[in-house]
Amino acid sequence: MAATKEQIMDVRSVVEAVAAAGDDVEIDTPLYVVESLCMRCGENGTTRFLLTLIPHFRKILLSAFDCPHCGERNNEVEFAGEIQPRGCSYSLCVPSGDKKMLDRTVVKSESATIKIPELDFEIPPEAQRGSLSTIEGILVRAADGLEALQDERKKVDPQMAEAIDQFLIKLRACASGDSSFTFILDDPAGNSFIENPLAPSPDPSMTITFYERTPEQQAALGYLADPSQLGGQSDEVSSDGINNVPHRQLKEPHGSVGARAGRQAIAQGNSAEMAEALFRYSAPEEVMMFPSTCGACAASCECKMFVTNIPYFQEVIVMASACDACGYRNSELKPGGPISDKGKKITLHVENIKDLSRDVIKSDSAGVEIPELELELTSGTLGGMVTTVEGLVTKISESLERVHGFTFGDSLPEDRKSKWLDFRARLDKLLSLEQPWTLIIDDALANSFVAPATEELKDDKQLTFEEYVRSWEQNEELGLNDMDTTSADAAYSSADAESIEKADN
């Protein structure tokens, strides 16, 4: 190692050097060495910092401490990239006897929690700091940590020490692959990861869920500048009253000039068909604005909302917000009206360049499938979005590259690396239309939509909509089996009866 890289630096110089690296992180980033205090013997040791980039995952800061006096060693992983907009939760079912499953690489950030429900065991964030390890390594490290103080426990509380000994037998059985268990990695910061050796294909043993952080989780991560923001916003809105919330209509909403000209033409022509054609994708009549909170930095921002009716589909609520503090942008589309009685399966045969420009509404309950690639995304993947066919494929590619962060690691076998490169090349070919392909969107709530290329839906031969009856398992997952609306139906019926009686009187 070069002498310049072993030169002792002060902490401030290291922080400034790491911050100056920015997004231009190279593989040959210099190694920074800082003199540090050993917490075991009280002598000075050295800590080495290396800023590196895991391809298609995150920028990370590796730190390794070494004390030459007592031999103490420690290493941690810190994340140097941007804050992830949502938290993530990985659930992996590890069967007994499958030791290869225990060799999966795990990136655990300092905010992640590890759980094993079968043992009622939880590793809190402060127990194991950010680390780069395997499933076996994490369990062995947890077992060693519990066993380290057993001699002291036997003197103070023999009964508890005996219970921990029995528990360690079960935990080491899981670490050796002799017992089946479920490994759950939950990280509100969204900076943790479990390797999928079957990538880019989905792993039937692992499920990945992305979720919005709660205010409590944001406060624990340090994203709230003022702790009083916890629960204060809703109280403030409720105390001021609904009328005081600054809902206001934009004076010149997007597309208002064209909409105004269209209304004049309708007034002169007086044609319902002309009205339907002009207002198919016209601007909304009213754009509402109300205060909100940024999901990334928790700063105050404004959310814009409007209700519109999409032809051949249904009434939808579009919500969009932009944060001036951190630049984070978010858009959501919520279904309007009642829950559909049936699910919907949309099949689009993509044959020409115009098909890539079709508007697509994918709800957060929809799954996506491309049979030609043997690609299947379960419901909830990618969340809800309003995009095009081309944008949906691009989003799928970016999501796969982000989630499967260790695809191009040095330890990856060549056959798996070539498999991923071949899949990514085939995914890119979809947008070049070298051959026709099929896009299938399956939505159990029927809240997804693909725009037709013709005026009449029945004239579009490349696009088909198929309704089906939801299974009991689908209704259970959506929470519909336990939904009881009898009280609400009775209240509405009573209100309707009273209004009719008043009208008759």
Side-chain angles (χ1 to χ4, degrees):
M1 185 177 294
T4 55
K5 293 186 177 181
E6 287 290 349
Q7 182 181 0
I8 301 295
M9 303 177 61
D10 59 279
V11 177
R12 180 175 181 179
S13 300
V14 173
V15 173
E16 292 176 351
V18 171
D23 296 329
D24 301 327
V25 180
E26 303 292 342
I27 300 301
D28 58 350
T29 302
L31 184 67
Y32 304 101
V33 183
V34 178
E35 190 174 9
S36 306
L37 176 67
C38 178
M39 302 306 296
R40 170 174 289 185
C41 66
E43 298 291 339
N44 284 340
T46 56
T47 301
R48 291 170 172 82
F49 294 96
L50 176 64
L51 181 66
T52 185
L53 174 66
I54 297 179
H56 310 293
F57 184 53
R58 305 277 192 279
K59 287 190 298 182
I60 63 174
L61 181 64
L62 300 175
S63 63
F65 173 78
D66 182 20
C67 178
H69 303 282
C70 65
E72 173 71 9
R73 291 188 176 185
N74 184 27
N75 62 82
E76 293 185 8
V77 177
E78 300 288 342
F79 292 89
E82 65 276 4
I83 297 173
Q84 301 305 310
R86 295 190 295 173
C88 64
S89 177
Y90 292 79
S91 179
L92 177 65
C93 297
V94 182
S96 59
D98 190 355
K99 294 188 177 181
K100 290 185 178 179
M101 190 83 74
L102 300 174
D103 294 334
R104 296 197 180 194
T105 306
V106 177
V107 174
K108 177 189 177 299
S109 74
E110 64 274 9
S111 60
T113 301
I114 295 177
K115 300 178 183 178
I116 301 179
E118 290 80 359
L119 301 181
D120 196 17
F121 178 60
E122 177 177 329
I123 303 176
E126 60 274 8
Q128 292 189 17
R129 301 287 294 176
S131 61
L132 176 61
S133 183
T134 62
I135 296 177
E136 180 184 5
I138 290 177
L139 298 183
V140 170
R141 184 178 176 183
D144 293 342
L146 288 174
E147 194 174 17
L149 300 177
Q150 277 296 86
D151 294 337
E152 287 78 3
R153 291 194 188 97
K154 290 179 181 179
K155 298 176 182 178
V156 178
D157 193 345
Q159 186 176 0
M160 177 180 292
E162 178 64 23
I164 292 179
D165 284 335
Q166 297 297 325
F167 175 80
L168 286 175
I169 296 176
K170 299 179 182 179
L171 184 60
R172 293 194 182 277
C174 293
S176 61
D178 297 332
S179 179
S180 60
F181 63 97
T182 304
F183 187 86
I184 299 177
L185 178 63
D186 190 351
D187 185 8
N191 282 326
S192 296
F193 174 80
I194 297 180
E195 178 189 10
N196 177 15
L198 304 178
S201 301
D203 186 353
S205 302
M206 183 169 63
T207 58
I208 306 174
T209 305
F210 297 96
Y211 59 87
E212 299 293 336
R213 287 186 289 266
T214 62
E216 290 77 10
Q217 290 174 330
Q218 290 179 345
L221 294 173
Y223 295 165
L224 290 180
D226 184 6
S228 63
Q229 295 179 16
L230 278 174
Q233 296 173 349
S234 59
D235 297 339
E236 180 181 354
V237 174
S238 60
S239 62
D240 291 342
I242 299 178
N243 294 330
N244 292 334
V245 178
H247 292 258
R248 55 182 181 273
Q249 181 179 354
L250 293 178
K251 296 180 179 180
E252 290 293 333
H254 176 69
S256 61
V257 177
R260 184 166 59 249
R263 284 192 288 268
Q264 294 176 356
I266 292 172
Q268 297 174 358
N270 194 20
S271 171
E273 296 179 356
M274 185 185 301
E276 182 180 356
L278 287 175
F279 284 94
R280 171 167 297 179
Y281 295 107
S282 64
E285 292 294 334
E286 185 178 11
V287 177
M288 310 298 292
M289 299 180 65
F290 56 90
S292 181
T293 303
C294 176
C297 68
S300 299
C301 61
E302 287 188 335
C303 181
K304 300 178 182 179
M305 179 186 72
F306 69 88
V307 181
T308 186
N309 194 357
I310 299 178
Y312 309 116
F313 186 41
Q314 63 183 29
E315 184 181 81
V316 296
I317 303 172
V318 182
M319 305 176 66
S321 60
C323 179
D324 296 333
C326 66
Y328 175 68
R329 295 188 177 188
N330 182 38
S331 61
E332 295 181 68
L333 186 137
K334 302 293 184 181
I339 297 175
S340 175
D341 295 332
K342 297 181 179 180
K344 181 183 293 184
K345 184 176 182 180
I346 306 172
T347 304
L348 173 64
H349 299 281
V350 182
E351 300 176 355
N352 52 63
I353 193 67
K354 293 183 178 180
D355 292 330
L356 297 178
S357 302
R358 290 178 184 247
D359 294 329
V360 175
I361 297 176
K362 178 195 170 300
S363 73
D364 51 8
S365 61
V368 180
E369 182 180 356
I370 301 178
E372 288 78 4
L373 295 183
E374 299 181 357
L375 173 65
E376 182 178 356
L377 303 180
T378 58
S379 61
T381 308
L382 302 179
M385 63 177 65
V386 182
T387 181
T388 61
V389 174
E390 180 181 6
L392 180 61
V393 174
T394 303
K395 191 71 175 178
I396 291 174
S397 178
E398 293 175 353
S399 177
L400 289 175
E401 291 185 356
R402 184 183 67 83
V403 172
H404 305 295
F406 291 93
T407 303
F408 297 105
D410 296 336
S411 61
L412 187 73
E414 288 297 329
D415 57 340
R416 286 173 53 191
K417 183 181 294 186
S418 61
K419 178 182 177 183
W420 169 261
L421 292 174
D422 177 67
F423 176 83
R424 192 172 65 174
R426 292 168 58 193
L427 189 63
D428 294 338
K429 288 181 180 179
L430 296 181
L431 301 180
S432 62
L433 291 176
E434 295 185 7
Q435 61 181 11
W437 53 281
T438 306
L439 174 65
I440 300 175
I441 300 178
D442 191 347
D443 192 350
L445 290 179
N447 290 329
S448 298
F449 176 72
V450 176
T454 58
E455 292 294 331
E456 295 293 335
L457 185 61
K458 60 182 179 180
D459 296 336
D460 194 340
K461 305 301 181 182
Q462 299 173 227
L463 181 64
T464 58
F465 292 84
E466 177 186 354
E467 292 186 341
Y468 61 88
V469 179
R470 286 188 295 266
S471 63
W472 186 92
E473 290 76 10
Q474 288 177 315
N475 287 331
E476 180 69 16
E477 182 179 357
L478 297 171
L480 300 179
N481 289 333
D482 299 329
M483 185 179 295
D484 186 8
T485 60
T486 55
S487 299
D489 294 340
Y492 281 120
S493 300
S494 176
D496 293 340
E498 291 179 0
S499 60
I500 293 175
E501 183 178 356
K502 291 180 180 180
D504 294 339
N505 294 334

